[in-house]
Amino acid sequence: MASIGLFYGTDEGHTEDVSERIQKLFPDGEVEVINIAEASNEDFEEFEILILGTPTLDNGGKQPDWEEFWPNLYSIDFSQKVVALFGLGDQVGYGDYFLDSMGDLAEAVSGQGATVIGEWPIEGYDFGASRALTASADHFVGLAIDEDTQDDETDARCEAWVKQVQAALG
Ligand SMILES: Cc1cc2nc3c(=O)[nH]c(=O)nc-3n(C[C@H](O)[C@H](O)[C@H](O)COP(=O)(O)O)c2cc1C
């Protein structure tokens, strides 16, 4: 059985694509990829380790399937769970809202007791504002992917981040 549940939402498929690329960087069978549109609380409860992926849409808004699932997050006990996050956004077109939804997701699961791992440095990105920053503002709360303007960086970013997450998980 897979030991990591990767839940993603997507409008145009980029987050699904990145989810599958991340899955392939782990050993075969370790990561189960689940579309949040088809997920239930029970699916979350199966896993102690979660990877959650979301794009940001509509000037800092949630992807609709994540938005629909959102109330469920508050009825899941994350206190024994480790969560790594990744977000997709467009730092040029939406630079004042870059990856906001990933930040909202981090806040929601942290509030429910999750241990969040996988912070990612802000170097190499050029944006105005983001709700996805750590308190020190020198990292994002999770992996930052920009398929709109930096797609040539995505594979290397995913590889480095997965190594970092694997190290954090021991
Ligand atoms: C209407 C629209 C609004 C968007 N708003 C934001 C935003 O506020 N912040 C951001 O970082 N990216 C924003 N984006 C960029 C998307 O997050 C990005 O294109 C992402 O790769 C889409 O992922 P998906 O294909 O999985 O839906 C927006 C894109 C669209 C089409």
Side-chain angles (χ1 to χ4, degrees), residues 9-16 55-61 63 88-91 94 97-100 145 147-148:
T10 189
D11 263 23
E12 292 178 0
H14 295 104
T15 311
E16 180 173 39
T56 298
L57 297 168
D58 299 328
N59 299 333
Q63 190 275 333
L88 273 76
D90 171 355
Q91 65 200 291
Y94 301 93
Y97 311 91
F98 187 44
L99 306 170
D100 277 0
I145 296 293
E147 283 287 88
D148 294 82

Side-chain angles (χ1 to χ4, degrees), residues 57-73:
L57 297 168
D58 299 328
N59 299 333
K62 297 178 180 74
Q63 190 275 333
D65 300 315
W66 267 118
E67 185 154 41
E68 199 177 321
F69 191 83
W70 209 265
N72 297 42
L73 293 174

Side-chain angles (χ1 to χ4, degrees), residues 24-128:
K24 288 197 179 86
L25 292 166
F26 284 87
D28 276 354
E30 190 166 343
V31 177
E32 184 174 346
V33 173
I34 301 161
N35 190 329
I36 196 67
E38 290 149 18
S40 64
N41 284 28
E42 289 69 39
D43 294 324
F44 272 69
E45 277 148 19
E46 268 184 41
F47 301 99
E48 280 180 21
I49 305 168
L50 298 163
I51 300 176
L52 306 181
T54 185
T56 298
L57 297 168
D58 299 328
N59 299 333
K62 297 178 180 74
Q63 190 275 333
D65 300 315
W66 267 118
E67 185 154 41
E68 199 177 321
F69 191 83
W70 209 265
N72 297 42
L73 293 174
Y74 299 97
S75 57
I76 295 169
D77 178 9
F78 283 92
S79 62
Q80 303 303 314
K81 299 192 191 297
V82 176
V83 177
L85 299 145
F86 69 98
L88 273 76
D90 171 355
Q91 65 200 291
V92 175
Y94 301 93
D96 286 336
Y97 311 91
F98 187 44
L99 306 170
D100 277 0
S101 255
M102 174 167 71
D104 296 341
L105 206 42
E107 193 179 314
V109 298
S110 299
Q112 292 299 109
T115 301
V116 174
I117 62 167
E119 291 178 0
W120 186 251
I122 61 168
E123 278 92 45
Y125 304 84
D126 188 6
F127 60 97

